[in-house]
Amino acid sequence: MTDIFIHVYLDEDVDVLVTTLLRSRGFEATTAHQAGQLGKTDSEQLEYAVSQRAAILTHNRIDFEDLARGYFDRGKPHYGIIIAVRNPYQEIVQRLLTILNSTTADEMENQIFYI
């Protein structure tokens, strides 16, 4: 299956305004709150993103690097992990748009991007 556009799922520590700005530019984005996933563990957040074929956007580098390693070791796919440094939401969106405008969903699969 060829997916062109990346669906972005924001875990609960990412500013929800990122979703608003992404949607205003035509991208599909969902927050943990909108998905009813508040209070879930990082593992559960990633499982949810996988179930939605979405790349997850997080600030939690250490936990998500460990989760990605576990997925790799088990041969289990994910649809991308984007780890953002804590910056103003506008800067996060600018950096994220660089990825979204140059990477397909298929190319994002099993990748980790740092922004």
Side-chain angles (χ1 to χ4, degrees), residues 65-90:
E65 285 175 340
D66 288 344
L67 287 168
R69 196 171 303 112
Y71 270 59
F72 177 79
D73 291 346
R74 293 189 309 274
K76 186 175 177 181
H78 62 78
Y79 297 95
I81 298 171
I82 304 166
I83 300 171
V85 173
R86 290 189 189 275
N87 282 311
Y89 69 90
Q90 301 95 327

mmCIF file with all atom_site columns, all heavy atoms in Angstrom, residues 65-90:
data_model
loop_
_atom_site.group_PDB
_atom_site.id
_atom_site.type_symbol
_atom_site.label_atom_id
_atom_site.label_alt_id
_atom_site.label_comp_id
_atom_site.label_asym_id
_atom_site.label_entity_id
_atom_site.label_seq_id
_atom_site.pdbx_PDB_ins_code
_atom_site.Cartn_x
_atom_site.Cartn_y
_atom_site.Cartn_z
_atom_site.occupancy
_atom_site.B_iso_or_equiv
_atom_site.pdbx_formal_charge
_atom_site.auth_seq_id
_atom_site.auth_comp_id
_atom_site.auth_asym_id
_atom_site.auth_atom_id
_atom_site.pdbx_PDB_model_num
ATOM 1   N N   . GLU A 1 65 ? 12.915 6.385  21.948 1.00 0.00 ? 65 GLU A N   1
ATOM 2   C CA  . GLU A 1 65 ? 14.050 5.676  21.343 1.00 0.00 ? 65 GLU A CA  1
ATOM 3   C C   . GLU A 1 65 ? 14.057 4.230  21.817 1.00 0.00 ? 65 GLU A C   1
ATOM 4   O O   . GLU A 1 65 ? 14.288 3.311  21.016 1.00 0.00 ? 65 GLU A O   1
ATOM 5   C CB  . GLU A 1 65 ? 15.368 6.363  21.701 1.00 0.00 ? 65 GLU A CB  1
ATOM 6   C CG  . GLU A 1 65 ? 15.611 7.641  20.950 1.00 0.00 ? 65 GLU A CG  1
ATOM 7   C CD  . GLU A 1 65 ? 16.858 8.373  21.389 1.00 0.00 ? 65 GLU A CD  1
ATOM 8   O OE1 . GLU A 1 65 ? 17.372 8.133  22.512 1.00 0.00 ? 65 GLU A OE1 1
ATOM 9   O OE2 . GLU A 1 65 ? 17.334 9.221  20.609 1.00 0.00 ? 65 GLU A OE2 1
ATOM 10  N N   . ASP A 1 66 ? 13.803 4.004  23.113 1.00 0.00 ? 66 ASP A N   1
ATOM 11  C CA  . ASP A 1 66 ? 13.741 2.636  23.646 1.00 0.00 ? 66 ASP A CA  1
ATOM 12  C C   . ASP A 1 66 ? 12.595 1.850  23.015 1.00 0.00 ? 66 ASP A C   1
ATOM 13  O O   . ASP A 1 66 ? 12.756 0.678  22.658 1.00 0.00 ? 66 ASP A O   1
ATOM 14  C CB  . ASP A 1 66 ? 13.578 2.653  25.170 1.00 0.00 ? 66 ASP A CB  1
ATOM 15  C CG  . ASP A 1 66 ? 14.836 3.093  25.899 1.00 0.00 ? 66 ASP A CG  1
ATOM 16  O OD1 . ASP A 1 66 ? 15.933 3.101  25.282 1.00 0.00 ? 66 ASP A OD1 1
ATOM 17  O OD2 . ASP A 1 66 ? 14.724 3.441  27.098 1.00 0.00 ? 66 ASP A OD2 1
ATOM 18  N N   . LEU A 1 67 ? 11.440 2.492  22.875 1.00 0.00 ? 67 LEU A N   1
ATOM 19  C CA  . LEU A 1 67 ? 10.300 1.818  22.249 1.00 0.00 ? 67 LEU A CA  1
ATOM 20  C C   . LEU A 1 67 ? 10.610 1.460  20.794 1.00 0.00 ? 67 LEU A C   1
ATOM 21  O O   . LEU A 1 67 ? 10.287 0.354  20.341 1.00 0.00 ? 67 LEU A O   1
ATOM 22  C CB  . LEU A 1 67 ? 9.051  2.695  22.325 1.00 0.00 ? 67 LEU A CB  1
ATOM 23  C CG  . LEU A 1 67 ? 8.413  2.820  23.707 1.00 0.00 ? 67 LEU A CG  1
ATOM 24  C CD1 . LEU A 1 67 ? 7.377  3.936  23.719 1.00 0.00 ? 67 LEU A CD1 1
ATOM 25  C CD2 . LEU A 1 67 ? 7.790  1.497  24.139 1.00 0.00 ? 67 LEU A CD2 1
ATOM 26  N N   . ALA A 1 68 ? 11.230 2.371  20.070 1.00 0.00 ? 68 ALA A N   1
ATOM 27  C CA  . ALA A 1 68 ? 11.583 2.105  18.670 1.00 0.00 ? 68 ALA A CA  1
ATOM 28  C C   . ALA A 1 68 ? 12.558 0.931  18.583 1.00 0.00 ? 68 ALA A C   1
ATOM 29  O O   . ALA A 1 68 ? 12.427 0.073  17.699 1.00 0.00 ? 68 ALA A O   1
ATOM 30  C CB  . ALA A 1 68 ? 12.191 3.351  18.029 1.00 0.00 ? 68 ALA A CB  1
ATOM 31  N N   . ARG A 1 69 ? 13.502 0.887  19.495 1.00 0.00 ? 69 ARG A N   1
ATOM 32  C CA  . ARG A 1 69 ? 14.466 -0.220 19.526 1.00 0.00 ? 69 ARG A CA  1
ATOM 33  C C   . ARG A 1 69 ? 13.741 -1.553 19.757 1.00 0.00 ? 69 ARG A C   1
ATOM 34  O O   . ARG A 1 69 ? 14.030 -2.556 19.102 1.00 0.00 ? 69 ARG A O   1
ATOM 35  C CB  . ARG A 1 69 ? 15.507 0.019  20.628 1.00 0.00 ? 69 ARG A CB  1
ATOM 36  C CG  . ARG A 1 69 ? 16.741 -0.831 20.511 1.00 0.00 ? 69 ARG A CG  1
ATOM 37  C CD  . ARG A 1 69 ? 17.844 -0.396 21.490 1.00 0.00 ? 69 ARG A CD  1
ATOM 38  N NE  . ARG A 1 69 ? 18.221 1.001  21.303 1.00 0.00 ? 69 ARG A NE  1
ATOM 39  C CZ  . ARG A 1 69 ? 17.986 1.979  22.199 1.00 0.00 ? 69 ARG A CZ  1
ATOM 40  N NH1 . ARG A 1 69 ? 17.393 1.738  23.332 1.00 0.00 ? 69 ARG A NH1 1
ATOM 41  N NH2 . ARG A 1 69 ? 18.349 3.223  21.936 1.00 0.00 ? 69 ARG A NH2 1
ATOM 42  N N   . GLY A 1 70 ? 12.777 -1.542 20.668 1.00 0.00 ? 70 GLY A N   1
ATOM 43  C CA  . GLY A 1 70 ? 11.992 -2.741 20.936 1.00 0.00 ? 70 GLY A CA  1
ATOM 44  C C   . GLY A 1 70 ? 11.183 -3.178 19.726 1.00 0.00 ? 70 GLY A C   1
ATOM 45  O O   . GLY A 1 70 ? 11.103 -4.370 19.417 1.00 0.00 ? 70 GLY A O   1
ATOM 46  N N   . TYR A 1 71 ? 10.584 -2.224 19.040 1.00 0.00 ? 71 TYR A N   1
ATOM 47  C CA  . TYR A 1 71 ? 9.836  -2.548 17.825 1.00 0.00 ? 71 TYR A CA  1
ATOM 48  C C   . TYR A 1 71 ? 10.774 -3.151 16.788 1.00 0.00 ? 71 TYR A C   1
ATOM 49  O O   . TYR A 1 71 ? 10.448 -4.144 16.139 1.00 0.00 ? 71 TYR A O   1
ATOM 50  C CB  . TYR A 1 71 ? 9.163  -1.293 17.256 1.00 0.00 ? 71 TYR A CB  1
ATOM 51  C CG  . TYR A 1 71 ? 7.769  -1.042 17.791 1.00 0.00 ? 71 TYR A CG  1
ATOM 52  C CD1 . TYR A 1 71 ? 7.526  -0.874 19.149 1.00 0.00 ? 71 TYR A CD1 1
ATOM 53  C CD2 . TYR A 1 71 ? 6.681  -0.957 16.930 1.00 0.00 ? 71 TYR A CD2 1
ATOM 54  C CE1 . TYR A 1 71 ? 6.251  -0.638 19.631 1.00 0.00 ? 71 TYR A CE1 1
ATOM 55  C CE2 . TYR A 1 71 ? 5.395  -0.711 17.393 1.00 0.00 ? 71 TYR A CE2 1
ATOM 56  C CZ  . TYR A 1 71 ? 5.189  -0.549 18.758 1.00 0.00 ? 71 TYR A CZ  1
ATOM 57  O OH  . TYR A 1 71 ? 3.926  -0.322 19.229 1.00 0.00 ? 71 TYR A OH  1
ATOM 58  N N   . PHE A 1 72 ? 11.952 -2.555 16.619 1.00 0.00 ? 72 PHE A N   1
ATOM 59  C CA  . PHE A 1 72 ? 12.933 -3.055 15.658 1.00 0.00 ? 72 PHE A CA  1
ATOM 60  C C   . PHE A 1 72 ? 13.349 -4.484 16.005 1.00 0.00 ? 72 PHE A C   1
ATOM 61  O O   . PHE A 1 72 ? 13.376 -5.360 15.143 1.00 0.00 ? 72 PHE A O   1
ATOM 62  C CB  . PHE A 1 72 ? 14.153 -2.130 15.609 1.00 0.00 ? 72 PHE A CB  1
ATOM 63  C CG  . PHE A 1 72 ? 15.239 -2.623 14.701 1.00 0.00 ? 72 PHE A CG  1
ATOM 64  C CD1 . PHE A 1 72 ? 15.135 -2.443 13.324 1.00 0.00 ? 72 PHE A CD1 1
ATOM 65  C CD2 . PHE A 1 72 ? 16.358 -3.268 15.211 1.00 0.00 ? 72 PHE A CD2 1
ATOM 66  C CE1 . PHE A 1 72 ? 16.133 -2.910 12.479 1.00 0.00 ? 72 PHE A CE1 1
ATOM 67  C CE2 . PHE A 1 72 ? 17.351 -3.739 14.370 1.00 0.00 ? 72 PHE A CE2 1
ATOM 68  C CZ  . PHE A 1 72 ? 17.240 -3.557 13.000 1.00 0.00 ? 72 PHE A CZ  1
ATOM 69  N N   . ASP A 1 73 ? 13.681 -4.716 17.286 1.00 0.00 ? 73 ASP A N   1
ATOM 70  C CA  . ASP A 1 73 ? 14.127 -6.038 17.725 1.00 0.00 ? 73 ASP A CA  1
ATOM 71  C C   . ASP A 1 73 ? 13.079 -7.118 17.485 1.00 0.00 ? 73 ASP A C   1
ATOM 72  O O   . ASP A 1 73 ? 13.415 -8.266 17.216 1.00 0.00 ? 73 ASP A O   1
ATOM 73  C CB  . ASP A 1 73 ? 14.510 -6.020 19.213 1.00 0.00 ? 73 ASP A CB  1
ATOM 74  C CG  . ASP A 1 73 ? 15.773 -5.221 19.490 1.00 0.00 ? 73 ASP A CG  1
ATOM 75  O OD1 . ASP A 1 73 ? 16.524 -4.902 18.524 1.00 0.00 ? 73 ASP A OD1 1
ATOM 76  O OD2 . ASP A 1 73 ? 16.020 -4.890 20.676 1.00 0.00 ? 73 ASP A OD2 1
ATOM 77  N N   . ARG A 1 74 ? 11.808 -6.752 17.595 1.00 0.00 ? 74 ARG A N   1
ATOM 78  C CA  . ARG A 1 74 ? 10.714 -7.718 17.401 1.00 0.00 ? 74 ARG A CA  1
ATOM 79  C C   . ARG A 1 74 ? 10.218 -7.750 15.952 1.00 0.00 ? 74 ARG A C   1
ATOM 80  O O   . ARG A 1 74 ? 9.308  -8.516 15.635 1.00 0.00 ? 74 ARG A O   1
ATOM 81  C CB  . ARG A 1 74 ? 9.548  -7.397 18.334 1.00 0.00 ? 74 ARG A CB  1
ATOM 82  C CG  . ARG A 1 74 ? 9.881  -7.598 19.803 1.00 0.00 ? 74 ARG A CG  1
ATOM 83  C CD  . ARG A 1 74 ? 8.667  -7.488 20.718 1.00 0.00 ? 74 ARG A CD  1
ATOM 84  N NE  . ARG A 1 74 ? 7.852  -6.304 20.547 1.00 0.00 ? 74 ARG A NE  1
ATOM 85  C CZ  . ARG A 1 74 ? 8.059  -5.125 21.127 1.00 0.00 ? 74 ARG A CZ  1
ATOM 86  N NH1 . ARG A 1 74 ? 9.087  -4.970 21.948 1.00 0.00 ? 74 ARG A NH1 1
ATOM 87  N NH2 . ARG A 1 74 ? 7.254  -4.105 20.911 1.00 0.00 ? 74 ARG A NH2 1
ATOM 88  N N   . GLY A 1 75 ? 10.788 -6.924 15.104 1.00 0.00 ? 75 GLY A N   1
ATOM 89  C CA  . GLY A 1 75 ? 10.348 -6.868 13.716 1.00 0.00 ? 75 GLY A CA  1
ATOM 90  C C   . GLY A 1 75 ? 8.943  -6.311 13.569 1.00 0.00 ? 75 GLY A C   1
ATOM 91  O O   . GLY A 1 75 ? 8.236  -6.608 12.616 1.00 0.00 ? 75 GLY A O   1
ATOM 92  N N   . LYS A 1 76 ? 8.559  -5.483 14.526 1.00 0.00 ? 76 LYS A N   1
ATOM 93  C CA  . LYS A 1 76 ? 7.217  -4.896 14.541 1.00 0.00 ? 76 LYS A CA  1
ATOM 94  C C   . LYS A 1 76 ? 7.286  -3.503 13.925 1.00 0.00 ? 76 LYS A C   1
ATOM 95  O O   . LYS A 1 76 ? 8.084  -2.673 14.346 1.00 0.00 ? 76 LYS A O   1
ATOM 96  C CB  . LYS A 1 76 ? 6.736  -4.813 15.993 1.00 0.00 ? 76 LYS A CB  1
ATOM 97  C CG  . LYS A 1 76 ? 5.321  -4.350 16.162 1.00 0.00 ? 76 LYS A CG  1
ATOM 98  C CD  . LYS A 1 76 ? 4.914  -4.427 17.631 1.00 0.00 ? 76 LYS A CD  1
ATOM 99  C CE  . LYS A 1 76 ? 3.509  -3.897 17.810 1.00 0.00 ? 76 LYS A CE  1
ATOM 100 N NZ  . LYS A 1 76 ? 3.086  -3.939 19.208 1.00 0.00 ? 76 LYS A NZ  1
ATOM 101 N N   . PRO A 1 77 ? 6.442  -3.207 12.941 1.00 0.00 ? 77 PRO A N   1
ATOM 102 C CA  . PRO A 1 77 ? 6.510  -1.892 12.285 1.00 0.00 ? 77 PRO A CA  1
ATOM 103 C C   . PRO A 1 77 ? 5.828  -0.788 13.092 1.00 0.00 ? 77 PRO A C   1
ATOM 104 O O   . PRO A 1 77 ? 4.913  -1.044 13.872 1.00 0.00 ? 77 PRO A O   1
ATOM 105 C CB  . PRO A 1 77 ? 5.756  -2.115 10.969 1.00 0.00 ? 77 PRO A CB  1
ATOM 106 C CG  . PRO A 1 77 ? 4.770  -3.179 11.295 1.00 0.00 ? 77 PRO A CG  1
ATOM 107 C CD  . PRO A 1 77 ? 5.453  -4.078 12.307 1.00 0.00 ? 77 PRO A CD  1
ATOM 108 N N   . HIS A 1 78 ? 6.298  0.411  12.892 1.00 0.00 ? 78 HIS A N   1
ATOM 109 C CA  . HIS A 1 78 ? 5.598  1.610  13.348 1.00 0.00 ? 78 HIS A CA  1
ATOM 110 C C   . HIS A 1 78 ? 5.607  2.580  12.174 1.00 0.00 ? 78 HIS A C   1
ATOM 111 O O   . HIS A 1 78 ? 6.258  2.338  11.163 1.00 0.00 ? 78 HIS A O   1
ATOM 112 C CB  . HIS A 1 78 ? 6.227  2.216  14.615 1.00 0.00 ? 78 HIS A CB  1
ATOM 113 C CG  . HIS A 1 78 ? 7.638  2.672  14.460 1.00 0.00 ? 78 HIS A CG  1
ATOM 114 N ND1 . HIS A 1 78 ? 7.978  3.855  13.845 1.00 0.00 ? 78 HIS A ND1 1
ATOM 115 C CD2 . HIS A 1 78 ? 8.804  2.103  14.843 1.00 0.00 ? 78 HIS A CD2 1
ATOM 116 C CE1 . HIS A 1 78 ? 9.287  4.004  13.857 1.00 0.00 ? 78 HIS A CE1 1
ATOM 117 N NE2 . HIS A 1 78 ? 9.823  2.946  14.452 1.00 0.00 ? 78 HIS A NE2 1
ATOM 118 N N   . TYR A 1 79 ? 4.870  3.653  12.287 1.00 0.00 ? 79 TYR A N   1
ATOM 119 C CA  . TYR A 1 79 ? 4.691  4.555  11.152 1.00 0.00 ? 79 TYR A CA  1
ATOM 120 C C   . TYR A 1 79 ? 5.432  5.869  11.323 1.00 0.00 ? 79 TYR A C   1
ATOM 121 O O   . TYR A 1 79 ? 5.078  6.870  10.719 1.00 0.00 ? 79 TYR A O   1
ATOM 122 C CB  . TYR A 1 79 ? 3.192  4.748  10.880 1.00 0.00 ? 79 TYR A CB  1
ATOM 123 C CG  . TYR A 1 79 ? 2.601  3.416  10.491 1.00 0.00 ? 79 TYR A CG  1
ATOM 124 C CD1 . TYR A 1 79 ? 1.999  2.608  11.448 1.00 0.00 ? 79 TYR A CD1 1
ATOM 125 C CD2 . TYR A 1 79 ? 2.742  2.937  9.199  1.00 0.00 ? 79 TYR A CD2 1
ATOM 126 C CE1 . TYR A 1 79 ? 1.526  1.344  11.111 1.00 0.00 ? 79 TYR A CE1 1
ATOM 127 C CE2 . TYR A 1 79 ? 2.272  1.678  8.851  1.00 0.00 ? 79 TYR A CE2 1
ATOM 128 C CZ  . TYR A 1 79 ? 1.668  0.887  9.808  1.00 0.00 ? 79 TYR A CZ  1
ATOM 129 O OH  . TYR A 1 79 ? 1.208  -0.362 9.473  1.00 0.00 ? 79 TYR A OH  1
ATOM 130 N N   . GLY A 1 80 ? 6.466  5.825  12.131 1.00 0.00 ? 80 GLY A N   1
ATOM 131 C CA  . GLY A 1 80 ? 7.329  6.969  12.323 1.00 0.00 ? 80 GLY A CA  1
ATOM 132 C C   . GLY A 1 80 ? 7.228  7.550  13.713 1.00 0.00 ? 80 GLY A C   1
ATOM 133 O O   . GLY A 1 80 ? 6.157  7.594  14.311 1.00 0.00 ? 80 GLY A O   1
ATOM 134 N N   . ILE A 1 81 ? 8.381  7.950  14.212 1.00 0.00 ? 81 ILE A N   1
ATOM 135 C CA  . ILE A 1 81 ? 8.472  8.631  15.500 1.00 0.00 ? 81 ILE A CA  1
ATOM 136 C C   . ILE A 1 81 ? 9.223  9.927  15.243 1.00 0.00 ? 81 ILE A C   1
ATOM 137 O O   . ILE A 1 81 ? 10.333 9.912  14.700 1.00 0.00 ? 81 ILE A O   1
ATOM 138 C CB  . ILE A 1 81 ? 9.208  7.764  16.539 1.00 0.00 ? 81 ILE A CB  1
ATOM 139 C CG1 . ILE A 1 81 ? 8.439  6.466  16.789 1.00 0.00 ? 81 ILE A CG1 1
ATOM 140 C CG2 . ILE A 1 81 ? 9.427  8.541  17.837 1.00 0.00 ? 81 ILE A CG2 1
ATOM 141 C CD1 . ILE A 1 81 ? 9.181  5.442  17.638 1.00 0.00 ? 81 ILE A CD1 1
ATOM 142 N N   . ILE A 1 82 ? 8.592  11.030 15.604 1.00 0.00 ? 82 ILE A N   1
ATOM 143 C CA  . ILE A 1 82 ? 9.202  12.348 15.418 1.00 0.00 ? 82 ILE A CA  1
ATOM 144 C C   . ILE A 1 82 ? 9.428  12.926 16.805 1.00 0.00 ? 82 ILE A C   1
ATOM 145 O O   . ILE A 1 82 ? 8.476  13.132 17.557 1.00 0.00 ? 82 ILE A O   1
ATOM 146 C CB  . ILE A 1 82 ? 8.299  13.272 14.583 1.00 0.00 ? 82 ILE A CB  1
ATOM 147 C CG1 . ILE A 1 82 ? 7.972  12.610 13.239 1.00 0.00 ? 82 ILE A CG1 1
ATOM 148 C CG2 . ILE A 1 82 ? 8.967  14.632 14.392 1.00 0.00 ? 82 ILE A CG2 1
ATOM 149 C CD1 . ILE A 1 82 ? 6.840  13.269 12.491 1.00 0.00 ? 82 ILE A CD1 1
ATOM 150 N N   . ILE A 1 83 ? 10.681 13.145 17.129 1.00 0.00 ? 83 ILE A N   1
ATOM 151 C CA  . ILE A 1 83 ? 11.051 13.640 18.451 1.00 0.00 ? 83 ILE A CA  1
ATOM 152 C C   . ILE A 1 83 ? 11.452 15.105 18.319 1.00 0.00 ? 83 ILE A C   1
ATOM 153 O O   . ILE A 1 83 ? 12.378 15.442 17.587 1.00 0.00 ? 83 ILE A O   1
ATOM 154 C CB  . ILE A 1 83 ? 12.190 12.799 19.049 1.00 0.00 ? 83 ILE A CB  1
ATOM 155 C CG1 . ILE A 1 83 ? 11.728 11.332 19.171 1.00 0.00 ? 83 ILE A CG1 1
ATOM 156 C CG2 . ILE A 1 83 ? 12.632 13.364 20.393 1.00 0.00 ? 83 ILE A CG2 1
ATOM 157 C CD1 . ILE A 1 83 ? 12.819 10.359 19.541 1.00 0.00 ? 83 ILE A CD1 1
ATOM 158 N N   . ALA A 1 84 ? 10.699 15.952 19.022 1.00 0.00 ? 84 ALA A N   1
ATOM 159 C CA  . ALA A 1 84 ? 10.905 17.398 18.924 1.00 0.00 ? 84 ALA A CA  1
ATOM 160 C C   . ALA A 1 84 ? 11.531 17.943 20.203 1.00 0.00 ? 84 ALA A C   1
ATOM 161 O O   . ALA A 1 84 ? 11.099 17.602 21.305 1.00 0.00 ? 84 ALA A O   1
ATOM 162 C CB  . ALA A 1 84 ? 9.570  18.095 18.670 1.00 0.00 ? 84 ALA A CB  1
ATOM 163 N N   . VAL A 1 85 ? 12.511 18.790 20.029 1.00 0.00 ? 85 VAL A N   1
ATOM 164 C CA  . VAL A 1 85 ? 13.048 19.560 21.139 1.00 0.00 ? 85 VAL A CA  1
ATOM 165 C C   . VAL A 1 85 ? 11.946 20.519 21.587 1.00 0.00 ? 85 VAL A C   1
ATOM 166 O O   . VAL A 1 85 ? 11.160 20.998 20.770 1.00 0.00 ? 85 VAL A O   1
ATOM 167 C CB  . VAL A 1 85 ? 14.298 20.349 20.682 1.00 0.00 ? 85 VAL A CB  1
ATOM 168 C CG1 . VAL A 1 85 ? 14.787 21.283 21.770 1.00 0.00 ? 85 VAL A CG1 1
ATOM 169 C CG2 . VAL A 1 85 ? 15.391 19.397 20.246 1.00 0.00 ? 85 VAL A CG2 1
ATOM 170 N N   . ARG A 1 86 ? 11.888 20.790 22.872 1.00 0.00 ? 86 ARG A N   1
ATOM 171 C CA  . ARG A 1 86 ? 10.864 21.716 23.383 1.00 0.00 ? 86 ARG A CA  1
ATOM 172 C C   . ARG A 1 86 ? 11.184 23.136 22.924 1.00 0.00 ? 86 ARG A C   1
ATOM 173 O O   . ARG A 1 86 ? 12.081 23.787 23.430 1.00 0.00 ? 86 ARG A O   1
ATOM 174 C CB  . ARG A 1 86 ? 10.788 21.643 24.902 1.00 0.00 ? 86 ARG A CB  1
ATOM 175 C CG  . ARG A 1 86 ? 10.200 20.348 25.382 1.00 0.00 ? 86 ARG A CG  1
ATOM 176 C CD  . ARG A 1 86 ? 9.930  20.385 26.872 1.00 0.00 ? 86 ARG A CD  1
ATOM 177 N NE  . ARG A 1 86 ? 9.558  19.078 27.347 1.00 0.00 ? 86 ARG A NE  1
ATOM 178 C CZ  . ARG A 1 86 ? 8.314  18.578 27.310 1.00 0.00 ? 86 ARG A CZ  1
ATOM 179 N NH1 . ARG A 1 86 ? 7.346  19.311 26.833 1.00 0.00 ? 86 ARG A NH1 1
ATOM 180 N NH2 . ARG A 1 86 ? 8.058  17.373 27.755 1.00 0.00 ? 86 ARG A NH2 1
ATOM 181 N N   . ASN A 1 87 ? 10.446 23.561 21.931 1.00 0.00 ? 87 ASN A N   1
ATOM 182 C CA  . ASN A 1 87 ? 10.552 24.891 21.350 1.00 0.00 ? 87 ASN A CA  1
ATOM 183 C C   . ASN A 1 87 ? 9.146  25.457 21.259 1.00 0.00 ? 87 ASN A C   1
ATOM 184 O O   . ASN A 1 87 ? 8.166  24.731 21.426 1.00 0.00 ? 87 ASN A O   1
ATOM 185 C CB  . ASN A 1 87 ? 11.158 24.819 19.938 1.00 0.00 ? 87 ASN A CB  1
ATOM 186 C CG  . ASN A 1 87 ? 12.655 24.632 19.968 1.00 0.00 ? 87 ASN A CG  1
ATOM 187 O OD1 . ASN A 1 87 ? 13.351 25.342 20.675 1.00 0.00 ? 87 ASN A OD1 1
ATOM 188 N ND2 . ASN A 1 87 ? 13.147 23.669 19.205 1.00 0.00 ? 87 ASN A ND2 1
ATOM 189 N N   . PRO A 1 88 ? 9.012  26.748 20.963 1.00 0.00 ? 88 PRO A N   1
ATOM 190 C CA  . PRO A 1 88 ? 7.671  27.291 20.727 1.00 0.00 ? 88 PRO A CA  1
ATOM 191 C C   . PRO A 1 88 ? 6.960  26.489 19.636 1.00 0.00 ? 88 PRO A C   1
ATOM 192 O O   . PRO A 1 88 ? 7.596  26.008 18.692 1.00 0.00 ? 88 PRO A O   1
ATOM 193 C CB  . PRO A 1 88 ? 7.937  28.726 20.274 1.00 0.00 ? 88 PRO A CB  1
ATOM 194 C CG  . PRO A 1 88 ? 9.282  29.054 20.840 1.00 0.00 ? 88 PRO A CG  1
ATOM 195 C CD  . PRO A 1 88 ? 10.055 27.767 20.813 1.00 0.00 ? 88 PRO A CD  1
ATOM 196 N N   . TYR A 1 89 ? 5.652  26.355 19.768 1.00 0.00 ? 89 TYR A N   1
ATOM 197 C CA  . TYR A 1 89 ? 4.894  25.512 18.845 1.00 0.00 ? 89 TYR A CA  1
ATOM 198 C C   . TYR A 1 89 ? 5.068  25.929 17.388 1.00 0.00 ? 89 TYR A C   1
ATOM 199 O O   . TYR A 1 89 ? 5.081  25.089 16.485 1.00 0.00 ? 89 TYR A O   1
ATOM 200 C CB  . TYR A 1 89 ? 3.423  25.437 19.243 1.00 0.00 ? 89 TYR A CB  1
ATOM 201 C CG  . TYR A 1 89 ? 2.635  26.702 19.063 1.00 0.00 ? 89 TYR A CG  1
ATOM 202 C CD1 . TYR A 1 89 ? 1.970  26.970 17.874 1.00 0.00 ? 89 TYR A CD1 1
ATOM 203 C CD2 . TYR A 1 89 ? 2.553  27.643 20.093 1.00 0.00 ? 89 TYR A CD2 1
ATOM 204 C CE1 . TYR A 1 89 ? 1.249  28.140 17.709 1.00 0.00 ? 89 TYR A CE1 1
ATOM 205 C CE2 . TYR A 1 89 ? 1.829  28.810 19.931 1.00 0.00 ? 89 TYR A CE2 1
ATOM 206 C CZ  . TYR A 1 89 ? 1.176  29.055 18.741 1.00 0.00 ? 89 TYR A CZ  1
ATOM 207 O OH  . TYR A 1 89 ? 0.467  30.214 18.574 1.00 0.00 ? 89 TYR A OH  1
ATOM 208 N N   . GLN A 1 90 ? 5.238  27.220 17.132 1.00 0.00 ? 90 GLN A N   1
ATOM 209 C CA  . GLN A 1 90 ? 5.416  27.681 15.758 1.00 0.00 ? 90 GLN A CA  1
ATOM 210 C C   . GLN A 1 90 ? 6.692  27.100 15.148 1.00 0.00 ? 90 GLN A C   1
ATOM 211 O O   . GLN A 1 90 ? 6.726  26.737 13.983 1.00 0.00 ? 90 GLN A O   1
ATOM 212 C CB  . GLN A 1 90 ? 5.466  29.221 15.683 1.00 0.00 ? 90 GLN A CB  1
ATOM 213 C CG  . GLN A 1 90 ? 4.246  29.921 16.215 1.00 0.00 ? 90 GLN A CG  1
ATOM 214 C CD  . GLN A 1 90 ? 4.411  30.334 17.678 1.00 0.00 ? 90 GLN A CD  1
ATOM 215 O OE1 . GLN A 1 90 ? 5.068  29.666 18.465 1.00 0.00 ? 90 GLN A OE1 1
ATOM 216 N NE2 . GLN A 1 90 ? 3.790  31.447 18.046 1.00 0.00 ? 90 GLN A NE2 1
#
